[in-house]
Amino acid sequence: MFVAAQMTDDRPPQPGAPPPDLGDFGDRLRRAQGQNEPVGPQETGAGGVNAKGMGAAFRIATELIAALVVGAGLGLLLDRWLGTRPILLLVFLALGMASGILSAFREAKRMGAASE
Amino acid sequence: MEEAGHAEHSPLAQFEIHRLIPLEFFGIDASFTNAALFMLISVALITWFLMAATRGQNLVPGRLQAMAEASYGLIAGAVRDNVGTEGKQYFPFVFSLFMFILFANFIGLIPHTFTVTSHIIVTFALAMFIFIAVTIIGLWRHKLHFFSLFLPHGVPIFLAPLLVPIEIIGYLTRPISLSVRLAANMLAGHTMLEVFAGFVVALGIFGFAPFLFVIAIYGLEVIVAFLQAYVFAVLTCLYLSDAINLHKH
């Protein structure tokens, strides 16, 4: 966007003769854009499957599971290091669940803010 | 895909890695594999695409130039919206990342090709690079103040022993969720395509039903290929934003 906008605005005229109908290009562009319905970006795919919704669901699901896995892994590592098996595993499993829910919640909140 | 009918052909065979040019350095297997080949193809295609698209630099863009400008605008917008003006300097990184994943995903959709991004080691390497880079950027910009990221604003201090480990786990989860999301999406989609393509052959005349389904899934996969590349880029932006702006979720 930083450059793309400038590219179309500030470019000096081409050395060759510019197309004669370029003067009303802005008007024609606006008219053409007005004709199109404002469609959301790729809401539904083939077969009416909502790809965006599936992506959102998948995002939250991985968030939950990954946090749980990381929590369990950290717990196991610390247990092995400190020799406190299985106390820290249980503690970090719970923390992992909490972390997963927290990030899933944040993700959902961000999606809600983005769709408004 | 036409091989899917054979009983011995597994739908997972498409993910196998073959050595094309065996190489070994000091006992480390560094062979040139089909994965490496398709990564090279992705990079070559991206280079060709962007060079060809920007060669003309017309005031009114042609098809190729419009595609390049659209992808540029998409990522530039994502960086600006999620990181702010300070994120500008990281735009080349995010854009390269997005284009690489996008092209790898799209190339993988062509039958008989190899999907680089379906391998978790590839996506994990990308995610780990982002994770380490973001941590270094955060530490470099904010010094030790960076660790205040793990204590949300306005939290009573007696809750800190509970919340700080939760936030740290959340931080360590990032490379895993980032890489698993992309690889699992690609793996699942391609396996599903191949399984249903196998049904088409196995069912003979009734194969048209799964065939229609394959077409529908393929359409979905095209969207997923784009969406996952975009999600990867946007999440990279969000992590960068955390490192640059600290508490502005």
Side-chain angles (χ1 to χ4, degrees), chain A residues 1-4 7-8 11 14 22 42 45-46 49 51-52 54 58-59 62-63 66-67 70-71 74 92 95-96 98-99 102 106 110, chain B residues 57 59-60 69 72-73 76 80 88 152 162 165-167 169-170 172-173 176-177 180-181 184-185 216 219-220 223 226-227 231 235 238:
Chain A
M1 200 52 64
F2 314 122
V3 172
M7 252 186 204
T8 47
R11 179 162 304 285
Q14 302 275 328
L22 217 55
Q42 295 158 333
V49 194
K52 227 179 162 188
M54 268 177 70
F58 208 89
R59 220 146 88 197
T62 44
E63 211 76 64
V70 169
L74 266 182
F92 274 85
L95 287 176
S99 165
L102 186 68
R106 275 184 190 151
R110 228 190 48 239
Chain B
Q57 297 204 344
L59 182 56
V60 181
E69 280 179 12
Y72 186 104
R80 196 193 41 220
K88 256 186 205 179
L162 187 64
I166 289 178
E167 290 285 341
I169 292 176
L172 296 177
T173 303
I176 296 182
S177 64
V180 166
R181 184 181 303 116
N185 259 298
L220 183 72
I223 300 174
F226 166 77
L227 214 58
V231 163
L235 284 172
L238 284 177

Side-chain angles (χ1 to χ4, degrees), chain A residues 76-101:
Chain A
L76 274 176
L77 275 179
L78 286 174
D79 264 343
R80 184 179 294 175
W81 182 42
L82 299 169
T84 49
R85 212 176 173 118
I87 299 161
L88 285 179
L89 172 64
L90 294 174
V91 170
F92 274 85
L93 212 54
L95 287 176
M97 286 181 205
S99 165
I101 289 174

